Amino acid sequence: MRGTYITALVITVVIGIWLLSGFLTAEDRVSEHPPLAEANGRPIQGADREAPTPVRARTIHATLRSELLTLRGRTENKRTVVVRAETSGRMVARPVERGDAVAAGDLLCQIAAEDRQSRVEEGEEDVNQARLEHAGSLKLKDRGLQSETAIARARATLASAEARLDAAALDLERIYVRAPFEGVVEDVQLEVGDYAQLGTPCARIVDLDPMLLVGQVTERNADRLTVGSPATGRLSTGAEVSGTISFVGYEADPGTRTYRVEVTVPNADSRLRSGVTAEIDIRVGELLAHKITPAVFALDDEGRLGVRIIGGDDRVEFRLVEVVADDRDGVWVTGLPRRTTLITVGQEFVSAGERVSVRMPTGALAEGSADVPPVLASGEAGAPESS
């Protein structure tokens, strides 16, 4: 047993000496990697002593284009009115249904006339009688046989009869519930045979022409909008519409601190529906931008977006950019020199300050945008700055 313990102790000591010798004799092979911001912002030590890294690059030029403010919003009909009965009685006709288009003055609901016509005829006879009595009193006055008091009484009787006739005629007219403006019947509340009270809803009319595009703009951009300026809208249905700004709010929403913006859009054929999601593009100025492919984007340590370009002496530079628009085949960015040599292949293998061997493309696209067709004309839609 004692020999076993001695053997184990010897083995332990030998292993310990072997492990300790590794710490004492091994070279430090740990290399520290600089952060991305440091790598993007200063030259690499010894870069000049190494062979330049080969990359591909393309020269791109800035294009003057419209700066658009994009708001997320919806379509909204200009007005909605619930048309109500102005007198009481039994419903005898309702010539409209949901979805029907109506013009101003079209009949929506009809209430039974009952004795209203008779009251109008009675009122007409009362007016005729009062008019004759008043005329007779005036003739007697000319002969000196009628007092001023009697004449005034006859005049008051005539006015009272005329007022009753007007009230009876108005009550008769009120049996016809008519559309107040041109629109579409969104809902009906009365059926034939129902008894309508004063104020009972008959139908709800929606005015669809013009249609409004409604969005919210931030307080920073509210002053950049002007009533009467043109605007375009892209609806979730795929339709594209154009109109003008008709209202910019002066009171901020207390919850979002944003201001209401309304764009009036013609809708004579009622093809636009209310409540459809829309993106509203409003031109607020012009700017110089480059069109590039998103594949060349890189991030610094703070997560800011940028690209690597070729600077003086064929050295890499890291430039921060801001995306101001996007298209199907690329994005528009600002923050680059007007004429920029953009690294398109190999940008992930180089850092700022490193010398590179640049290979430029030949042919028609040599002076175009990076890996995309030549820049589009100024004024195209884009610019996603939302509120």
Side-chain angles (χ1 to χ4, degrees), residues 230-249:
T232 59
R234 299 187 303 277
L235 308 186
S236 60
T237 58
E240 295 188 2
V241 295
S242 300
T244 58
I245 299 177
S246 55
F247 174 75
V248 180

Side-chain angles (χ1 to χ4, degrees), residues 181-335:
F181 50 79
E182 182 179 357
V184 175
V185 178
E186 183 68 17
D187 195 13
V188 292
Q189 284 86 15
L190 283 176
E191 298 291 344
V192 174
D194 287 342
Y195 187 84
Q197 299 284 356
L198 179 65
T200 300
C202 166
R204 187 166 81 251
I205 307 299
V206 177
D207 186 4
L208 298 177
D209 185 28
M211 182 64 72
L212 299 179
L213 302 180
V214 178
Q216 300 290 328
V217 64
T218 62
E219 54 190 8
R220 181 170 63 92
N221 291 316
D223 290 339
R224 305 179 71 186
L225 304 184
T226 305
V227 173
S229 299
T232 59
R234 299 187 303 277
L235 308 186
S236 60
T237 58
E240 295 188 2
V241 295
S242 300
T244 58
I245 299 177
S246 55
F247 174 75
V248 180
Y250 287 90
E251 183 178 5
D253 184 283
T256 62
R257 306 302 302 169
T258 57
Y259 296 86
R260 180 182 175 95
V261 177
E262 295 180 0
V263 176
T264 300
V265 176
N267 189 31
D269 56 359
S270 300
R271 65 186 180 90
L272 302 179
R273 299 178 182 272
S274 181
V276 178
T277 302
E279 288 189 354
I280 309 168
D281 291 335
I282 304 172
R283 179 176 176 177
V284 294
E286 292 184 336
L287 50 75
L288 288 171
H290 296 79
K291 189 176 185 181
I292 64 175
T293 173
V296 301
F297 284 149
L299 298 176
D300 64 5
D301 278 347
E302 298 179 6
R304 296 176 299 181
L305 196 65
V307 295
R308 294 186 175 93
I309 66 175
I310 304 299
D313 198 26
D314 286 342
R315 293 187 181 274
V316 178
E317 295 181 7
F318 183 81
R319 291 294 185 93
L320 297 177
V321 296
E322 179 182 357
V323 177
V324 295
D326 56 68
D327 288 334
R328 291 186 298 270
D329 54 355
V331 294
W332 293 88
V333 299
T334 59

Side-chain angles (χ1 to χ4, degrees), residues 30-84:
V30 178
S31 61
E32 296 184 359
H33 296 279
L36 288 176
E38 183 179 349
N40 288 327
R42 70 180 188 183
I44 298 177
Q45 295 181 356
D48 290 337
R49 296 192 300 268
E50 299 177 358
T53 304
V55 295
R56 290 187 180 181
R58 190 184 300 274
T59 300
I60 58 176
H61 298 272
T63 299
L64 186 64
R65 58 174 289 113
S66 296
E67 181 183 4
L68 299 180
L69 180 66
T70 299
L71 310 178
R72 271 67 178 181
R74 66 188 184 283
T75 59
E76 186 177 293
N77 59 291
K78 190 170 185 179
R79 53 184 172 173
T80 300
V81 172
V82 177
V83 186
R84 301 174 182 272

